[in-house]
């Protein structure tokens, strides 16, 4: 497990500063589709410029990075930083250690400040190096605790017996505890599930913020998620 | 759920043909690190040429695609096809539907024949479109049932209560059933766990092959995994 840190990461500080400056807890989710990369980059930069006063960070989806390519992604991250907005890559990374290291190093070298990981890969031989690499570089790691789509309840909502005579507990509760143990900088709970946001909020220490995607298209409501503790 | 198909996908046929032609069930795992892309591509093509008579497919890791870039990846897939070897992208894709669709379309347009998915994303609003897109294009979908790293046992090996009065069952068994229900073309169980390979083999119908990464560096043994049913 990662040692509890005495100080916040740069990531935590940066996002808190942007949030205080702009009086907001809303994050811009950038999902840029299509081509060519140059045109997408222009659209992305415009979106960042227009929304910068109203958001506290920019979250890039994997297809966005894939469509932009490495160079344009780096340029868009830089443009976001120019507006004092930290950038999160929503990778849901959950592979074996070597793969995880290579992927997160690549993202951090593009300038990303934080990465979303899928806790199912576990710690040993799994996500351990991501936390170590992030810690060294002042980067943030955000743990996926409950996805926003309807089918996610099958697994994130299932009851788990961690010990033969223990009481059954929901999967998301176990993932939330792991976020705490691993020293994560945040937890993802879909905005479509304000009740779960509330329960996870009660489990986590104050420093670990809850990130709730799924507002808008997927039906999540800002006020509901926010009141619940996102 | 995806309808059971009367015919095998091209993917299933292609991999079976390569396996019969070369008298092997071994898959080349391509993990190319470093730069520049042109040099990596040359290394990759050499590896494919040298190993082609002894393998039945090529599995690309995500960092390989990231390091190669889209164009060189396409070129390496083409070189593999030139040696009658189908190509699998080991993405462990498990996101919401729109993201999944964009990512798997991008891979299939690079020429990949099959993709590995993480079942934790669920079906509805999750992996459903990946199976649909794959089915239309004759591509294969392989479901992650048990990862190869030590820490994977925390989740893939945990006991789950799917109904309040049901008996507790291991997570990997539930994921294996899902591979069957969803009409997957394969299931991944780490070669480091031959006992689990045996149990999963017993659960799956014959058409769904078991893919076992983790031979070599991670300590898995070909003979053990193979005897168990990989």
């Amino acid at each position: 497990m990662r040692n509890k840190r005495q100080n916040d990461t740069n990531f935590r500080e940066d996002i808190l500063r942007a949030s205080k400056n702009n009086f907001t807890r809303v994050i811009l989710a950038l999902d840029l589709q299509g081509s060519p990369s140059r045109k997408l980059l222009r659209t992305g930069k415009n979106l960042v410029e227009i929304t910068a006063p109203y958001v506290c960070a920019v979250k890039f989806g994997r297809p966005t990075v894939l469509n932009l390519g490495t160079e344009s992604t780096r340029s868009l991250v830089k443009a976001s930083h120019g507006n004092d907005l930290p950038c999160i890559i929503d990778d849901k990374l959950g592979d074996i250690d070597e793969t995880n290291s290579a992927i997160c190093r690549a993202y951090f070298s593009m300038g990303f400040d934080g990465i979303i990981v899928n806790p199912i890969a576990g710690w040993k031989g799994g996500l351990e190096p991501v936390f170590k690499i992030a810690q060294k570089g002042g980067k943030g790691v955000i743990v996926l605790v409950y996805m926003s789509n309807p089918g996610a309840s099958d697994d994130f909502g299932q009851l788990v017996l961690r010990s033969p005579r223990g009481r059954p507990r929901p999967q998301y509760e176990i993932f939330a505890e792991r976020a705490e143990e691993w020293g994560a900088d945040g937890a993802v709970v879909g905005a479509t599930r304000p009740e779960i946001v509330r329960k996870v909020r009660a489990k986590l220490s104050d420093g670990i913020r809850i990130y709730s995607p799924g507002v808008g298209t997927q039906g999540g409501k800002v006020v509901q998620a926010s009141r619940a503790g996102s």
Side-chain angles (χ1 to χ4, degrees), chain A:
Chain A
M1 305 294 126
R2 182 159 73 151
N3 291 330
K4 285 277 165 60
R5 290 167 303 186
Q6 295 301 312
N7 300 311
D8 283 352
T9 50
N10 300 348
F11 173 75
R12 288 196 199 191
E13 285 169 13
D14 292 348
I15 208 163
L16 195 62
R17 190 184 315 116
S19 182
K20 281 184 177 164
N21 285 346
N22 296 350
F23 302 97
T24 183
R25 285 182 290 172
V26 174
I27 289 175
L28 170 63
L30 263 189
D31 292 308
L32 301 173
Q33 303 277 4
S35 60
S37 160
R38 205 173 305 165
K39 196 179 151 198
L40 284 187
L41 176 59
R42 213 165 40 232
T43 309
K45 281 187 174 172
N46 280 340
L47 281 169
V48 168
E49 293 294 335
I50 294 165
T51 57
Y54 315 108
V55 299
C56 63
V58 184
K59 184 191 78 127
F60 289 58
R62 277 186 62 197
T64 302
V65 174
L66 202 66
N67 293 328
L68 281 171
T70 303
E71 282 319 307
S72 293
T73 300
R74 189 173 282 129
S75 173
L76 192 49
V77 168
K78 207 173 162 187
S80 307
H81 288 168
N83 285 282
D84 294 322
L85 298 175
C87 295
I88 299 164
I89 172 67
D90 184 1
D91 191 274
K92 301 183 176 69
L93 184 63
D95 212 302
I96 60 162
D97 47 8
E98 283 198 28
T99 307
N100 291 336
S101 302
I103 301 270
C104 82
R105 280 210 177 92
Y107 284 130
F108 292 154
S109 82
M110 289 179 216
F112 282 103
D113 306 283
I115 185 167
I116 297 176
V117 299
N118 186 340
I120 198 168
W123 182 257
K124 212 178 159 193
L127 290 164
E128 182 173 11
V130 177
F131 282 84
K132 295 201 165 153
I133 293 165
Q135 190 164 23
K136 267 190 194 162
K139 306 289 186 177
V141 184
I142 301 170
V143 170
L144 187 63
V145 166
Y146 209 127
M147 282 174 71
S148 54
N149 60 312
S153 58
D154 277 357
D155 297 312
F156 292 93
Q158 73 186 357
L159 286 175
V160 175
L161 275 172
R162 296 298 282 194
S163 62
R165 288 185 194 178
R167 69 176 173 87
R169 294 164 56 214
Q171 182 74 65
Y172 66 84
E173 203 177 291
I174 291 161
F175 283 163
E177 282 176 8
R178 209 168 289 174
E180 188 83 41
E181 271 174 46
W182 290 355
D185 302 286
V188 173
V189 180
T192 46
R193 297 187 166 87
E195 265 315 302
I196 308 287
V197 172
R198 195 166 290 119
K199 286 177 183 165
V200 171
R201 183 64 277 162
K203 283 264 159 205
L204 295 175
S205 54
D206 290 347
I208 306 181
R209 315 226 153 223
I210 297 182
Y211 296 83
S212 295
V215 168
T217 318
Q218 289 184 65
K221 303 274 183 289
V222 171
V223 175
Q224 280 183 12
S226 177
R227 278 201 188 135
S230 295

